[in-house]
Short mmCIF file of all heavy atoms in Angstrom, two decimals:
data_model
loop_
_atom_site.label_atom_id
_atom_site.label_comp_id
_atom_site.label_asym_id
_atom_site.label_seq_id
_atom_site.Cartn_x
_atom_site.Cartn_y
_atom_site.Cartn_z
N ILE X 1517 163.96 101.90 157.87
CA ILE X 1517 164.27 101.95 159.29
C ILE X 1517 162.98 101.78 160.09
O ILE X 1517 162.35 102.76 160.52
CB ILE X 1517 164.98 103.28 159.68
CG1 ILE X 1517 166.17 103.50 158.73
CG2 ILE X 1517 165.40 103.28 161.12
CD1 ILE X 1517 166.87 104.85 158.98
N PRO X 1518 162.52 100.56 160.23
CA PRO X 1518 161.27 100.32 160.95
C PRO X 1518 161.37 100.59 162.43
O PRO X 1518 162.43 100.43 163.03
CB PRO X 1518 161.00 98.82 160.69
CG PRO X 1518 162.32 98.25 160.40
CD PRO X 1518 163.15 99.32 159.75
N GLU X 1519 160.24 101.02 163.02
CA GLU X 1519 160.23 101.35 164.47
C GLU X 1519 159.90 100.13 165.30
O GLU X 1519 160.32 100.01 166.45
CB GLU X 1519 159.18 102.42 164.71
CG GLU X 1519 159.45 103.78 164.03
CD GLU X 1519 160.44 104.61 164.79
OE1 GLU X 1519 160.77 104.25 165.92
OE2 GLU X 1519 160.92 105.60 164.22
N THR X 1520 159.14 99.19 164.76
CA THR X 1520 158.65 98.03 165.51
C THR X 1520 158.95 96.76 164.74
O THR X 1520 159.27 96.79 163.54
CB THR X 1520 157.15 98.14 165.77
OG1 THR X 1520 156.47 98.07 164.49
CG2 THR X 1520 156.80 99.45 166.47
N THR X 1521 158.76 95.63 165.45
CA THR X 1521 158.89 94.32 164.79
C THR X 1521 157.88 94.15 163.68
O THR X 1521 158.18 93.61 162.62
CB THR X 1521 158.74 93.20 165.81
OG1 THR X 1521 159.76 93.34 166.84
CG2 THR X 1521 158.91 91.84 165.17
N GLU X 1522 156.65 94.63 163.91
CA GLU X 1522 155.62 94.54 162.88
C GLU X 1522 156.01 95.31 161.63
O GLU X 1522 155.83 94.85 160.49
CB GLU X 1522 154.29 95.06 163.42
CG GLU X 1522 153.67 94.17 164.53
CD GLU X 1522 154.38 94.28 165.86
OE1 GLU X 1522 155.12 95.28 166.07
OE2 GLU X 1522 154.28 93.36 166.65
N GLU X 1523 156.60 96.50 161.82
CA GLU X 1523 157.03 97.29 160.69
C GLU X 1523 158.19 96.59 159.99
O GLU X 1523 158.36 96.69 158.76
CB GLU X 1523 157.43 98.70 161.13
CG GLU X 1523 156.26 99.57 161.54
CD GLU X 1523 156.72 100.94 161.93
OE1 GLU X 1523 157.92 101.28 161.76
OE2 GLU X 1523 155.87 101.72 162.48
N SER X 1524 159.04 95.93 160.73
CA SER X 1524 160.16 95.19 160.15
C SER X 1524 159.63 94.06 159.22
O SER X 1524 160.15 93.87 158.14
CB SER X 1524 161.07 94.60 161.25
OG SER X 1524 161.60 95.58 162.07
N VAL X 1525 158.67 93.33 159.72
CA VAL X 1525 158.05 92.27 158.95
C VAL X 1525 157.45 92.83 157.65
O VAL X 1525 157.63 92.28 156.56
CB VAL X 1525 157.01 91.50 159.75
CG1 VAL X 1525 156.27 90.50 158.87
CG2 VAL X 1525 157.66 90.78 160.92
N GLU X 1526 156.76 93.96 157.76
CA GLU X 1526 156.15 94.57 156.58
C GLU X 1526 157.24 95.05 155.61
O GLU X 1526 157.09 94.93 154.40
CB GLU X 1526 155.25 95.72 156.99
CG GLU X 1526 154.58 96.49 155.84
CD GLU X 1526 153.75 95.60 154.95
OE1 GLU X 1526 153.18 94.62 155.44
OE2 GLU X 1526 153.66 95.88 153.76
N GLY X 1527 158.32 95.61 156.16
CA GLY X 1527 159.42 96.08 155.31
C GLY X 1527 160.07 94.93 154.54
O GLY X 1527 160.39 95.07 153.35
N LEU X 1528 160.24 93.78 155.18
CA LEU X 1528 160.79 92.62 154.48
C LEU X 1528 159.83 92.17 153.34
O LEU X 1528 160.29 91.77 152.27
CB LEU X 1528 160.97 91.45 155.46
CG LEU X 1528 162.12 91.61 156.46
CD1 LEU X 1528 162.09 90.51 157.50
CD2 LEU X 1528 163.47 91.68 155.75
N LYS X 1529 158.54 92.32 153.57
CA LYS X 1529 157.58 91.96 152.53
C LYS X 1529 157.71 92.89 151.33
O LYS X 1529 157.67 92.47 150.17
CB LYS X 1529 156.17 92.02 153.12
CG LYS X 1529 155.06 91.60 152.14
CD LYS X 1529 153.70 91.62 152.87
CE LYS X 1529 152.60 91.20 151.89
NZ LYS X 1529 151.27 91.22 152.58
#
Side-chain angles (χ1 to χ4, degrees):
I1517 307 177
E1519 297 279 349
T1520 65
T1521 300
E1522 292 72 22
E1523 289 181 9
S1524 299
V1525 172
E1526 178 58 31
L1528 290 173
K1529 184 177 180 180

